[in-house]
Amino acid sequence: MTENRVNLYSLTDTITPWAVRAAATLGLADLIAAGTTTLDELAAATKANPDALHRLLRYLAVRGVFKETEPRVYALTEAAEFLKTDHPAAQRPWLDVDSMAGRIEGTFSSLTHSIRTGDAAYPVRYGIEFWDDLSTNPDRATSFGALMATHASYFDQVVQGYDWSTVNHVVDVGGGTGALLTEILKAQPHLRGTVVDLPGVVEQGRARFEAAGIADRAEVVSGSIFDPLPAGADVYILSNVLHDWNDSAAEKILQRAADAIGTTGKVLIVQILVKDENDNFPDDPARLMFITQMDLRLLSLMAGKARTWREYAELGEKAGLQVAGSTVIPTGQTLLSLRRG
Ligand SMILES: C[S@@+](CC[C@H](N)C(=O)[O-])C[C@H]1O[C@@H](n2cnc3c(N)ncnc32)[C@H](O)[C@@H]1O
């Protein structure tokens, strides 16, 4: 009985997630790691109210995120290490409520609307569809692009997980600011690539390609993934794109890729799956929690959906495509390769 009550309390607590986000947004872990450890110094550096900051740190010390080593002097715990900007898990940008991440998570207060209707909650919360919000607010588009670029923490595994030896030209459909394409082209000097995305997003790819020294092999195409794609490339990547859309929209996007591949090209879907090829959930409970949580995030943001291997194979069939190969990379994403049936 008591245990159930305690569990429900910890499951329904909304204060801790926002308190951790406040600490991440203020950059407290970076400051403490750099030696700014007293309350007064931290309040000055973050332009925070000292009394309110003290109460935040006191609560987060109670929850094991920070330690109070002597009165009003703080240190990091193992959990706080994850809040540092340079931590390889790249969590901080996703916890920064001043960025698109704050707006994204705020959508969950309207989750019930999505459960009742199957529609996105984002427009109910903010009065505008998710993608329209980005299209009409360049700062939000830039912020979302930066969040997507944190996927780069595993993009090297995507590069290693696929055989590029017979590929000449790759198109990254909905490839954002070109973070994945950059990894691919850097690792495979024989390749050239194209990234297709919305105007406010894809232009940011140019600077990335210049900085990586691949601008002569990489182009950006500003356009919609629902319109015809540049035709004739060997591989069309859809990385974290199809899950943003309901089945009928995802089928249309896959059809655009199927139309572009000609007879020999491939479509490469990169996604974390709810169930694998054998219809099994991931063994790792943390991974299962992540993907089922992501599913609700996709539902509430844009009526999107996390899918199983079989559901992607069926979507492919509707677009005239068959599974040609499937690999799971160590971070859990599946590379699902499709060709004409
Ligand atoms: C979830 S992000 C994935 C980005 C990247 N592929 C990755 O794996 O990190 C989805 C991408 O689809 C793009 N997108 C959404 N609607 C689009 C449309 N109608 N046409 C082109 N791109 C679109 C977004 O701008 C965004 O870059």
Side-chain angles (χ1 to χ4, degrees):
M1 211 32 206
T2 310
E3 205 169 283
N4 284 342
R5 193 157 52 83
V6 170
N7 282 344
L8 191 64
Y9 180 75
S10 74
L11 284 173
T12 53
D13 159 37
T14 58
I15 295 170
T16 310
W18 290 107
V20 173
R21 281 169 170 77
T25 306
L26 294 172
L28 295 178
D30 285 342
L31 286 165
I32 293 171
T36 306
T37 57
T38 68
L39 178 69
D40 288 344
E41 288 170 339
L42 287 166
T46 57
K47 300 190 175 57
N49 176 289
D51 179 56
L53 182 62
H54 173 232
R55 288 149 67 188
L56 175 74
L57 283 162
R58 180 174 63 190
Y59 177 65
L60 290 175
V62 168
R63 297 307 309 265
V65 180
F66 294 101
K67 275 186 293 206
E68 191 167 7
T69 53
E70 50 188 285
R72 300 186 179 223
V73 178
Y74 302 93
L76 304 183
T77 64
E78 204 182 326
E81 293 287 334
F82 282 83
L83 300 181
K84 284 164 46 182
T85 305
D86 63 0
H87 193 283
Q91 289 295 295
R92 188 181 165 214
W94 287 97
L95 298 171
D96 180 349
V97 295
D98 287 345
S99 79
M100 262 310 280
R103 217 164 149 81
I104 287 172
E105 295 308 300
T107 311
F108 278 111
S109 61
S110 300
L111 178 64
T112 311
H113 169 80
S114 290
I115 305 305
R116 285 198 175 112
T117 61
D119 293 335
Y122 194 90
V124 171
R125 179 81 174 76
Y126 300 114
I128 187 167
E129 299 278 350
F130 183 82
W131 297 116
D132 293 343
D133 195 16
L134 296 193
S135 300
T136 50
N137 290 284
D139 289 350
R140 289 187 192 141
T142 303
S143 177
F144 186 68
L147 287 175
M148 292 301 101
T150 64
H151 292 155
S153 60
Y154 65 78
F155 280 166
D156 59 327
Q157 294 179 24
V158 177
V159 180
Q160 287 161 27
Y162 192 75
D163 178 8
W164 304 96
S165 60
T166 59
V167 180
N168 290 311
H169 184 195
V170 55
V171 177
D172 193 359
V173 181
T177 58
L180 175 56
L181 190 64
T182 299
E183 287 300 315
I184 296 171
L185 297 196
K186 275 195 328 197
Q188 304 288 329
H190 70 283
L191 277 183
R192 67 190 178 88
T194 305
V195 58
V196 180
D197 208 291
L198 296 169
V201 179
V202 78
E203 274 88 27
Q204 297 169 53
R206 283 187 221 281
R208 189 188 291 284
F209 298 150
E210 287 287 346
I214 53 164
D216 56 333
R217 295 185 286 127
E219 63 167 347
V220 303
V221 171
S222 154
S224 173
I225 51 182
F226 292 97
D227 290 337
L229 297 167
D234 306 296
V235 173
Y236 289 77
I237 300 173
L238 286 162
S239 162
N240 301 310
V241 169
L242 295 176
H243 71 183
D244 291 342
W245 302 93
N246 66 22
D247 286 346
S248 71
E251 195 188 320
K252 279 184 196 139
I253 298 166
L254 260 182
Q255 190 63 60
R256 287 302 188 194
D259 292 344
I261 61 175
T263 49
T264 55
K266 300 247 175 69
V267 177
L268 184 63
I269 296 174
V270 181
Q271 291 279 183
I272 295 198
L273 304 183
V274 180
K275 285 183 173 180
D276 66 13
E277 194 168 351
N278 301 314
D279 231 21
N280 292 323
F281 285 124
D283 287 338
D284 178 357
R287 198 165 278 175
L288 181 57
M289 188 175 95
F290 175 82
I291 184 63
T292 49
Q293 216 173 53
M294 167 73 91
D295 180 49
L296 292 180
R297 184 175 286 113
L298 295 164
L299 169 65
S300 70
L301 289 184
M302 61 274 280
K305 186 178 185 178
R307 294 185 173 85
T308 65
W309 192 98
R310 204 172 277 178
E311 285 170 329
Y312 276 115
E314 283 168 9
L315 270 184
E317 273 170 33
K318 286 185 182 155
L321 299 169
Q322 269 183 359
V323 176
S326 162
T327 310
V328 183
I329 60 174
T331 42
Q333 286 76 15
T334 296
L335 311 190
L336 191 63
S337 162
L338 305 168
R339 60 173 160 68
R340 272 199 184 285

